[in-house]
Amino acid sequence: MTTLDPSYDQTHGPQNSTNNQPLVPRGTELDFSSGKCFVSVGGFQFLDTRVMGVAVPFHRDFEEVNLRFYVKRLAGAETRRASSS
């Protein structure tokens, strides 16, 4: 996908973990930093968007909001950390 203007804004901060746990992917759990669970919210504006060079009708200019949680999961003896949208 290509776009002419990927405007982007993001904010993040600590959140109440009991509200967010049901929203994370199965097999993962919220990751904490200094006892706090963090969430990021990112806003995008896509203009003149194309897929493989072809414009899709009614999907060229649009906004998108991503909600991202920081999660971890155990893989054997290793803890793997990531973000989840």
Side-chain angles (χ1 to χ4, degrees):
M1 178 169 25
T2 60
T3 183
L4 292 179
D5 181 24
S7 298
Y8 178 73
D9 191 20
Q10 180 178 16
T11 187
H12 72 278
Q15 299 295 314
N16 182 331
S17 64
T18 58
N19 294 338
N20 297 330
Q21 185 60 46
L23 302 173
V24 300
R26 183 179 37 208
T28 66
E29 60 184 74
L30 292 168
D31 197 3
F32 290 85
S33 175
S34 300
K36 296 179 182 176
C37 164
F38 284 82
V39 172
S40 294
V41 177
F44 302 84
Q45 181 177 12
F46 292 91
L47 301 173
D48 195 30
T49 304
R50 298 170 182 273
V51 177
M52 298 182 69
V54 178
V56 178
F58 309 109
H59 292 86
R60 290 186 65 179
D61 300 337
F62 59 93
E63 295 87 20
E64 178 178 304
V65 176
N66 286 343
L67 176 62
R68 191 168 294 229
F69 295 96
Y70 297 92
V71 297
K72 64 182 178 179
R73 71 180 176 94
L74 292 176
E78 179 183 8
T79 299
R80 296 184 181 178
R81 291 181 160 81
S83 62
S84 173
S85 300

